[in-house]
Amino acid sequence: MPQEGLQRFAHEAMATTFEVVVAGQERAYAQQAADAVFAEIDLVEAALSRYIESSDVSKLNHLAAGVTTTVGSRAFECLEMAARVWKDTGGAFDVTIGPLMACWRNPDKSLRKPSEAELAEARAKVGMNLVKLDPANHTVRLAADGMRIDLGGIGKGFALDKAAEMLGDWGVKNAVVHGGTSTVLALGAPPGDNGWPLGVGGAGKDALSAGRVFLRDRALSGSGVELQGRHIFDPRAGGPAMGKTGTWSVCPSATVADALSTAFMVMTVGEVEAYCKKHADTCALLLIEGEGARRYVAYGDWAGLGLDTKLLNEKN
């Protein structure tokens, strides 16, 4: 990423470091805009974090089946987006997957093999169709006891979209905002460039170094298993997602990109291809593993973003 003429600001939130990189603004003004962004991100965390007892999500996670409760605008909007991606991905992305993940894990977080009875009990509490949203009143009702909502797979992207709205209010048109580098939202472009240069396509510690794209008014998100192990679960099959080492998504919304990079780890290659054909503004990059080898499979206009996916496979 170019260094000259850029103002950088960092902030700790959501168990990661958010960074705002602003082009074309004086330092003092950029600082004020960044402070406004970080204040908004803190409000998003306060609403969405399941680790904050006063959050809307914590309130929902203590809600009995059939009881209706009101939540704030940030939590409701994020839940609506989660429901939309759940539907569009055929249930591959599901923020209610908590009970299923819990039955696969020992107290020390290592994986265990649950019994069929345990799986059946957990799966009865999983499904975005069990979350009843009322847009007119901003209310939520859960259809089963013991449900657990976790917006960790979409919340950082949602925070970045809210950050972009705040930067727009401040008249900042050229900036990059990221939440721990796993999800990045590019606005406009730095001086002299057609877009913000960002890494994509690596695995493990090299997750952002295999290739490069140039993004403008689009978001990039990546998910993988090499650093954290098999921590991504398939809510449809009821177990850990298998077959891919990493996935990347590009689309206009950071919220959707964040969710899709997780969903693409779960979906079959055919399902990802069908999704990208239906959503022309979306690009998908999959790092497939099998028979001791890896290969990249790409869908969407990566060439238009400056990435030669054939070259990625040659490097791999």
Side-chain angles (χ1 to χ4, degrees), residues 163-189:
E165 291 178 12
M166 188 62 64
L167 289 172
D169 290 343
W170 279 80
V172 176
K173 298 180 179 179
N174 302 302
V176 162
V177 192
H178 71 78
T181 71
S182 62
T183 303
V184 188
L185 179 59
L187 305 175

Side-chain angles (χ1 to χ4, degrees), residues 23-100:
Q25 299 288 345
E26 295 294 332
R27 177 76 184 182
Y29 189 81
Q31 176 75 70
Q32 289 178 303
D35 288 345
V37 163
F38 296 144
E40 175 62 25
I41 290 173
D42 286 342
L43 290 174
V44 170
E45 181 178 22
L48 305 190
S49 175
R50 63 189 177 96
Y51 300 106
I52 298 176
E53 291 186 6
S54 59
S55 75
D56 285 324
V57 167
S58 289
K59 180 167 65 172
L60 292 175
N61 286 342
H62 289 88
L63 198 65
V67 177
T68 298
T69 189
T70 302
V71 298
S73 60
R74 294 176 180 85
F76 194 88
E77 183 180 349
C78 193
L79 285 168
E80 282 189 311
M81 294 294 290
R84 170 186 151 191
V85 180
W86 173 80
K87 181 179 180 180
D88 288 348
T89 61
F93 179 78
D94 196 331
V95 299
T96 71
I97 198 173
L100 185 59

Side-chain angles (χ1 to χ4, degrees), residues 51 58 71 84 106 124 147 162 181 183 194 207-208 212-213 219 229 232 263-264 271 292:
Y51 300 106
S58 289
V71 298
R84 170 186 151 191
N106 291 306
M147 293 187 68
K162 288 300 178 184
T181 71
T183 303
N194 293 324
L208 297 177
R212 187 173 66 171
V213 294
I232 298 174
F264 290 165
E271 286 176 324

